[in-house]
Amino acid sequence: MKVLKFGGTSMGSSVAMLSVKRIVEKIKGQKVVVVSAVGGVTDELINASKKAVKGESYIDVLNYLKEKHNQIVSELFTPSVEVKLQEQLEVIWKELEQLLKGVSLTGELSTKSYDTISGCGERLSSSIISALISNSKLYDSREFIKTEKNGNGHVVKINPTMQAIGELKFSLPEVAVFPGFIASDDNDENTTLGRGGSDYSAALLAAGLDADKLEIWTDVDGFMSADPRVIKRAYCLEHLSYAEAMELSHFGAKVIYPPTIIPALQKQIPILIKNTFNPEAPGTLIDKNTDVERKVKGLSSIKDVSLLTLQGNGMIGVSGISMRMFKALAIENVNIILISQASSESSISVVINSSDAEVAKMALLNEFEKEISRKQINGVLVDSKMSVVAIVGEGMKHTSGVSGQLFHDVGKNGINVYAIAQGASELNISFVVHEDDLRKTLNVVHEAFFLSQYQAIHLYLAGVGTVGKSLLTKIQRQAERLLKVERLSIRVAGIANSRQMLFKDRGLDIDTALDKLKEASPGNIGQFVDQIIENNMSNSVFVDCSASPVVAEQYLKLLQNNVSVVTANKIASSSDYETYKKLKTTAVQKGVKYLFETNVGAGLPIINTMNSMIQSGDKILQLEAVLSGTLNYIVNNVSAERKLSEVVQEAKDKGYSEPDPRIDLIGKDVLRKLLILARECEYPLEEKHVDITPFLPEEFFTEESVEQFMARLKDYDEAFEQKRKEAEDNGKILRYAASLKQGKAKVGFIEVDENHPFYRLEDSNNKIMLRTDYYYDHPMEIKGYGAGADVTAAGVFADIIKVVNL
Ligand code: ADP
Ligand code: ASP
Ligand code: MG
């Protein structure tokens, strides 16, 4: 025999009820069907009762409820059946109306009235479904499920309930229908099993009748790894042990009402969670077996809780404090969700529902009045707006590293943990975070344990010029592979130019993002960054593809808020050493990344290579490099036939140089790159420490406009040709190079012969030579295109991937 429970959504419309009918009628053998009220009805009944007690009009609510049921009935039945059914329902409506009237007149809402009113929904829905399912008989659960008072609510009296249900065993028809949720006490007064209690009704019936199986039919495919409304990538779990299901539901997984598990566990009745709207899905089986393949099965959370802390050095070593604390709370019926005490015993924290916080605080202040006046206890601290997050899995038992990974990932994302509790059963690790961080926490944790099929990274791109655009194209092209092979979902969650910004947490459609940005809301970089911080998404990465100083100024704030920064913009790392160092140390402190590989040599792996060498104990002794593609192009193309000014003009026209070629020719760009490299080699150099000879003598940089400069440049053609010729006559060529030797940094021309590695360096190539402890006689060389939007974007992309540490 099976007990099948259908929840509110499964009863939510005539169409849903027809699915229920089909499901029930398809199952062979004896069936007990337990139903919730039509979806949303219990809420509205409670709403009506609250209006009534305040003397407000509840008629609209009542009419709405009647209409809702009438519509379902008229859609499901022929007129003759409908009339009979309506007579049945009318009895319930009458009773409800009378009750509400009474409450409204007296202005009093007793527990009894409240329970009777809120339980009407199940009586209505069970009457309807029973009329719909062939050969079914309707029972009244109140005759079998017995409760007694406990605190503010009721608890089930197990023995009489089991006995009453057990007596039904041999007289049940093929299909017995029971309303869920409702019960009665010893005086036959109406009670309920608490919100969500229909699951429990079904479990009690299953236990009392020794059913073979308890099926909970709802609106999701099964028990999911996390609340699917919060974690879109939550997936359905095939199996859970009773203990796991109990922990998850206790910590907020609403899919099953927590007490439900107990009767099923006691009688070892397997529970199957199924989807009324997708009956083919296998669902989730909950039984006594444990499978520990996955250490963490799922996570859940409770919102609207407060952290109450009793603190004081006078508590250390004193026995009885916690007993008094818990007793004081128990007297006030305050339910404790989590307890945490430091081993120093100087504080005890408990998590309670926020609605109890005021009462709880007063209770503790009273209880510890004496200790507080003697300053042995500092007082009672209340942190409201908290949430509890729990990870659950029997596989955590006796395995190390779970909490390590958990708190590493949580910390890396800048989430502050207020209290932690792990039971000795090691089935559950729970911790308290601020409610503003809840969504992020759930995402981070879900990903940390690969509960997700993939990990998500949220990019915020500033600057959509040629590099930014090329990056977007590359992301789009790679997205599918990264998802499939690396299980990484890259989402461009925001983009901005200097005037506008556009956001979408789940990722912008790259095809249309740039067009949409044109119509997007105005916003400057400061607002863009504030919004990124406020959005508080997991694994956030800020990507700077601009060349703007105002963007560079934002890095520190971003890093301080646990947002990684990947930048193609050299301004920050080449400004004063203090700024550079602060950014680096902040990133380390916050556990995020600050990456700028493309600042030197575009996509060439220079900084990464140096970092790896240093990390593995090698020492960079000398560094020599050609770091400007533009200048190298110019040097390579000037000849006896082609003058310097001609080649510069060409480089400018072809877009190889900056629009103002002076920026390249003054040598600043090379200097900045060298500074960055030197700093990465741990030399705290400033610009003033670099010995620099510009490409042209200083006086050529005094002109106002680019045109004037270009005209003036012709005056230098001859001198430059002479310099070139001299080198050539000695079998050498010129290179504009940077070097770092014994901590001394230098930028300027060098002459190299054909044995020098820089001799053959075509076109606009860059090259860097690293002489280290390990690479001394034959230095390491890295060579390739060191400029261009495409290679730069590729380098930025590589840095982004590095942030997630695939
Ligand atoms: P019913 O009315 O059928 O009893 P509920 O609304 O009480 O349904 O519970 C089902 C809902 O629980 C789902 O629609 C889902 O939004 C929510 N839920 C929360 N956590 C989980 C979880 N871990 N797995 C599945 N559903 C969950
Ligand atoms: N109808 C009740 C509620 O909404 C009980 C249930 O659906 O389980 O709480
Ligand atoms: Mg439910």
Side-chain angles (χ1 to χ4, degrees), residues 42 76 112 170 366 412 489 491 538 574-575 636 666 731:
T42 313
L76 287 176
K112 188 172 118 188
F170 303 104
N366 278 335
K412 202 178 76 183
S489 161
R491 299 175 185 172
S538 60
S574 63
S575 65
N636 278 333
I666 201 162

Side-chain angles (χ1 to χ4, degrees), residues 160-218:
T161 300
M162 285 300 123
Q163 196 178 342
I165 295 172
E167 281 165 13
L168 273 175
K169 223 182 209 169
F170 303 104
S171 62
L172 281 180
E174 195 189 327
V175 187
V177 175
F178 287 80
F181 189 47
I182 56 175
S184 68
D185 63 13
D186 280 345
N187 303 322
D188 290 332
E189 305 282 16
N190 291 330
T191 60
T192 71
L193 303 184
R195 293 306 308 268
S198 295
D199 296 340
Y200 191 25
S201 311
L204 291 165
L205 283 160
L209 296 168
D210 286 311
D212 301 310
K213 204 176 235 175
L214 167 61
E215 295 187 358
I216 306 282
W217 289 79
T218 181

Side-chain angles (χ1 to χ4, degrees), residues 5 7-8 36 195-199 216 218 254-257:
K5 179 263 173 177
S36 285
R195 293 306 308 268
S198 295
D199 296 340
I216 306 282
T218 181
K254 189 196 169 198
V255 62
I256 195 161
Y257 184 53

Side-chain angles (χ1 to χ4, degrees), residues 40-163:
V41 164
T42 313
D43 285 335
E44 289 307 327
L45 288 166
I46 292 171
N47 180 18
S49 73
K50 297 216 160 124
K51 282 186 174 238
V53 75
K54 282 190 270 182
E56 292 169 15
S57 169
Y58 51 83
I59 298 300
D60 283 352
V61 183
L62 198 61
N63 286 342
Y64 163 79
L65 286 172
K66 280 189 184 168
E67 201 143 295
K68 191 163 185 146
H69 287 85
N70 286 343
Q71 190 186 345
I72 292 175
V73 170
S74 69
E75 283 169 9
L76 287 176
F77 301 100
T78 55
S80 62
V81 183
E82 190 183 340
V83 171
K84 246 175 79 192
L85 177 59
Q86 289 290 17
E87 271 169 29
Q88 235 177 302
L89 302 183
E90 195 50 37
V91 179
I92 305 167
W93 291 124
K94 275 263 150 58
E95 194 184 330
L96 176 62
E97 262 167 69
Q98 293 270 300
L99 266 165
L100 287 169
K101 204 176 195 176
V103 170
S104 179
L105 286 174
T106 58
E108 240 177 88
L109 181 60
S110 64
T111 318
K112 188 172 118 188
S113 309
Y114 179 86
D115 286 349
T116 311
I117 294 169
S118 58
C120 284
E122 270 72 6
R123 289 166 63 198
L124 292 161
S125 65
S126 58
S127 304
I128 300 172
I129 203 78
S130 169
L132 189 65
I133 298 173
S134 323
N135 304 322
S136 71
K137 183 176 168 198
L138 180 63
Y139 289 78
D140 189 339
S141 307
R142 293 174 293 184
E143 290 170 21
F144 310 97
I145 300 182
K146 289 293 175 184
T147 65
E148 62 188 339
K149 223 173 141 35
N150 178 280
N152 291 334
H154 319 279
V155 288
V156 171
K157 288 176 80 173
I158 291 295
N159 289 339
T161 300
M162 285 300 123
Q163 196 178 342

